[in-house]
Amino acid sequence: MALLGLDVPIVLGPFGGMSSVALTAAVSDAGGLGSYGLYGYPPARIAETARLLREATDRPFALNLWMPVGDEAGPGTVDTRAAQRAVAPLYEELGVPAPAGTPERFVPDVAEQLDAVLAARPAVLSCVFGMPPVAVVEAARSRGIRIVGAATTVAEAIAVTAAGADAVVASGFEAGGHRVSFMKPAEQSLVGTFALLPQVVDAVDIPVIAAGGIADRRGVAAAFALGAAGVQVGTAFLGTRQSAASAAHRAALRGLAADDTVLTRAVTGRLARGIRNRLVAHVEAADAIAPFPAQSWVVGALRAEANRRGDGDLQSLWAGQSAALTRFDDAAEVFAELAAGLPR
């Protein structure tokens, strides 16, 4: 992966809203590509995050953004009352006020975020849910910024390549967090990593990074045997002390079986893989989920308070199907285990 300036072709999965400077820097310092997810970050916070990352590491790192796919709900365009009523008992239980009124925005403007990333000049801009506009791709290239796109199907990988990506992440449904599909509904784009990977390798002429279900040297070896140029790993790193995951979240990952995670829209309104806890069960039973990103706003204060209290039952516990393979609590140990599976 010399194209991305890496000594070791291991990429940290970008945790939207759960990234930490310490973990990003640890992976970059080890010779891989540390990634920092900027979901929900306004421009000023993006600039500050890039500054902190450069203080923490002199190695390449990636900044990650979510692209709009056109189904995003805006304030005033969606009725969230049913979703709010559904979670009101949980807010009352914690004794915190539920969100009221209508915010000016549910999330920052993507164009403003892209401008901030271009100004920050990371080594890599990684994108999920599609690719940036052509003008942004050209602007990134003129600044020496590489672009990595993500795909959950072969058709998406071809589209990402055509849009100017330098590399593509083939993301299988085993992966934790959001399913980043953008051409068809996520429920119609559920392809496993080791079925998706070789088909993407055959379909595109840019490096392919395998993601989903990879947590140890065996997964790395399998990915490279199927043609991967690199691997992207999230859950195994999420369980380390350098991550921004809460102690309750990290504890929940230990000993988790492969069939203990679920795909749900309960937390954000978009399909994502995580541990089924009381928050997920309550929202799904109520059958009142607001569209993305309104649902994130509906449950956001609840999740934040649960996180503050160390209550894993009411947090978003993102996790992939490989969580049971997570054995280390230090990022350097995870990195060394993964690197042991690389071709010699």
Side-chain angles (χ1 to χ4, degrees):
M1 294 288 283
L3 176 74
L4 303 181
L6 309 185
D7 296 330
V8 185
I10 296 173
V11 179
L12 172 65
F15 308 120
M18 295 189 65
S19 291
S20 77
V21 169
L23 181 55
T24 303
V27 173
S28 290
D29 283 345
L33 183 66
S35 304
Y36 195 105
L38 300 172
Y39 172 75
Y41 280 36
R45 191 177 179 189
I46 291 174
E48 175 64 5
T49 298
R51 184 187 70 79
L52 292 173
L53 286 168
R54 286 200 168 90
E55 287 183 355
T57 182
D58 60 1
R59 301 289 297 170
F61 59 83
L63 295 179
N64 177 267
L65 287 175
W66 294 28
M67 296 297 102
V69 298
D71 67 347
E72 295 81 5
T77 68
V78 60
D79 186 347
T80 62
R81 288 175 294 182
Q84 289 175 283
R85 285 194 298 270
V87 297
L90 301 180
Y91 276 99
E92 292 173 6
E93 177 184 322
L94 293 186
V96 295
T102 303
E104 181 181 348
R105 292 176 177 174
F106 288 130
V107 291
D109 181 77
V110 175
E112 294 175 358
Q113 289 183 308
L114 285 166
D115 286 343
V117 170
L118 290 175
R121 293 181 181 244
V124 176
L125 164 60
S126 68
C127 299
V128 292
F129 294 106
M131 285 282 286
V134 173
V136 173
V137 173
E138 293 174 349
R141 189 160 288 132
S142 71
R143 290 166 171 78
I145 302 171
R146 298 291 189 180
I147 297 184
V148 176
T152 64
T153 65
V154 173
E156 288 179 351
I158 292 171
V160 162
T161 304
D166 295 293
V168 59
V169 175
S171 179
F173 70 72
E174 301 93 330
H178 285 81
R179 302 307 306 135
V180 294
S181 306
F182 63 92
M183 293 184 74
K184 291 182 179 179
E187 289 87 348
Q188 298 175 23
S189 306
L190 298 177
V191 186
T193 301
F194 295 110
L196 177 65
L197 174 59
Q199 295 181 68
V200 171
V201 169
D202 289 348
V204 303
D205 58 1
I206 59 176
V208 180
I209 301 166
I214 300 169
D216 61 17
R217 66 184 69 190
R218 294 170 295 178
V220 173
F224 274 83
L226 293 174
V231 294
Q232 179 173 288
V233 177
T235 301
F237 283 115
L238 193 63
T240 66
R241 61 177 178 268
Q242 290 91 347
S243 88
S246 68
H249 192 163
R250 295 197 302 273
L253 294 174
R254 305 298 179 194
L256 194 69
D259 58 354
D260 284 340
T261 64
V262 294
L263 288 167
T264 181
R265 293 181 179 268
V267 180
T268 68
R270 275 188 178 161
L271 198 68
R273 184 177 294 283
I275 300 170
R276 182 178 175 84
N277 59 4
R278 192 155 65 93
L279 173 62
V280 171
H282 180 94
V283 173
E284 289 185 341
D287 195 24
I289 301 174
F292 174 85
Q295 181 68 14
S296 289
W297 173 75
V298 168
V299 302
L302 179 73
R303 293 160 55 199
E305 179 62 16
N307 185 68
R308 189 186 71 79
R309 297 186 185 193
D311 182 353
D313 270 341
L314 297 177
Q315 297 178 36
S316 51
L317 301 177
W318 304 131
Q321 291 184 320
S322 63
L325 301 175
T326 300
R327 302 186 179 93
F328 305 108
D329 66 357
D330 183 79
E333 292 178 309
V334 174
F335 195 94
E337 167 63 24
L338 296 169
L342 293 170
R344 300 299 178 186

